[in-house]
Amino acid sequence: MATMILALKRAARPVLPALPAVRRSWELALKRIQTLETERLRLVPLESADADLLFPIMSDPQVIAHWDCETLDEPEKVAEMVDGQVLEMACGRGFYWAVRTLEGRFLGVCELAELNRAARSAEIGFVFAPEAWSSDLAQEALEALVRCATGLNLRRLNGRTCLGDRRAEALLQRLGFRQAGLERGPLIDDQRRDRRLFALAL
């Protein structure tokens, strides 16, 4: 259903070294990361407490059908990995948001991760509840991320989907992403989860 949230693939790290302050503008941008708002949505910087709201989405068979890591079937695993995301944000490794409607309904998470200061690039990632897909809210959220990336003077956004995740592929293409190749993925439940790569020049 969605490209992988990269920090959710990895186990939470107790300590992450801070990146060298080569470009202070990145450091300042990460410190002042704020809520992004659209016509129907509010994207709020991710907090550890959001793990409780994310777990039901991560347990949804429609979501994990196109998952490229081991199923997160315990609340503690999701909590640990969201803590890892929050820590990565604090260490200057990416931007992470919880996506909510203006009424406050939690719809999922999205990110600009894998920041590359030299190439001025990042990877876009997202996991949404089915409600967000059926109402085009997923696209609205990612349009806000693309605008944010442009405001950060990024030159390129990368994305990836599991092969067969046509909904996520179509979403990236509507945003202007072009296919950029294939990547061999892991074996999950005896099935190979290869990935399709995408790129967007900003």
Side-chain angles (χ1 to χ4, degrees):
M1 292 285 298
T3 54
M4 202 55 219
I5 296 290
L6 294 177
L8 286 175
K9 293 180 187 176
R10 303 186 286 263
R13 305 169 187 172
V15 176
L16 287 177
L19 295 180
V22 177
R23 298 197 178 190
R24 189 158 182 78
S25 59
W26 284 88
E27 301 290 331
L28 294 175
L30 283 160
K31 287 181 180 179
R32 64 172 182 261
I33 181 173
Q34 295 179 359
T35 297
L36 305 177
E37 291 196 5
T38 71
E39 182 178 350
R40 297 178 292 173
L41 298 174
R42 185 172 290 116
L43 283 62
V44 181
L46 190 67
E47 299 179 354
S48 295
D50 293 320
D52 292 339
L53 301 171
L54 182 60
F55 175 70
I57 297 175
M58 303 293 293
S59 305
D60 189 320
Q62 296 182 68
V63 175
I64 63 172
H66 297 292
W67 203 242
D68 61 355
C69 74
E70 296 295 333
T71 302
L72 301 177
D73 54 359
E74 298 176 8
E76 293 78 9
K77 291 181 180 179
V78 175
E80 181 180 274
M81 293 184 185
V82 170
D83 283 344
Q85 285 186 311
V86 173
L87 185 56
E88 287 193 359
M89 184 160 50
C91 291
R93 296 180 178 273
F95 300 85
Y96 303 89
W97 290 271
V99 181
R100 291 179 170 83
T101 66
L102 296 182
E103 297 77 26
R105 293 196 312 280
F106 182 85
L107 297 177
V109 292
C110 57
E111 67 180 30
L112 295 173
E114 301 296 300
L115 293 174
N116 184 320
R117 290 161 171 74
R120 286 167 60 182
S121 67
E123 180 151 338
I124 194 169
F126 49 94
V127 173
F128 291 118
E131 174 190 352
W133 293 97
S134 61
S135 57
D136 290 331
L137 291 171
Q139 179 171 339
E140 188 171 322
L142 294 196
E143 287 172 347
L145 257 65
V146 172
R147 289 193 296 270
C148 179
T150 301
L152 290 170
N153 293 318
L154 294 178
R155 292 176 176 170
R156 175 186 172 106
L157 284 181
N158 301 310
R160 50 182 164 175
T161 68
C162 286
L163 290 183
D165 191 354
R166 296 181 179 178
R167 181 176 284 182
E169 292 175 0
L171 172 55
L172 290 178
Q173 289 170 334
R174 289 197 300 273
L175 293 167
F177 283 79
R178 296 179 179 273
Q179 293 187 31
L182 298 174
E183 179 181 76
R184 193 157 182 81
L187 279 173
I188 304 295
D189 296 329
D190 297 323
Q191 295 184 0
R192 178 72 61 184
R193 299 292 178 94
D194 291 338
R195 303 157 182 148
R196 194 179 305 279
L197 306 179
F198 291 86
L200 172 66
L202 300 173

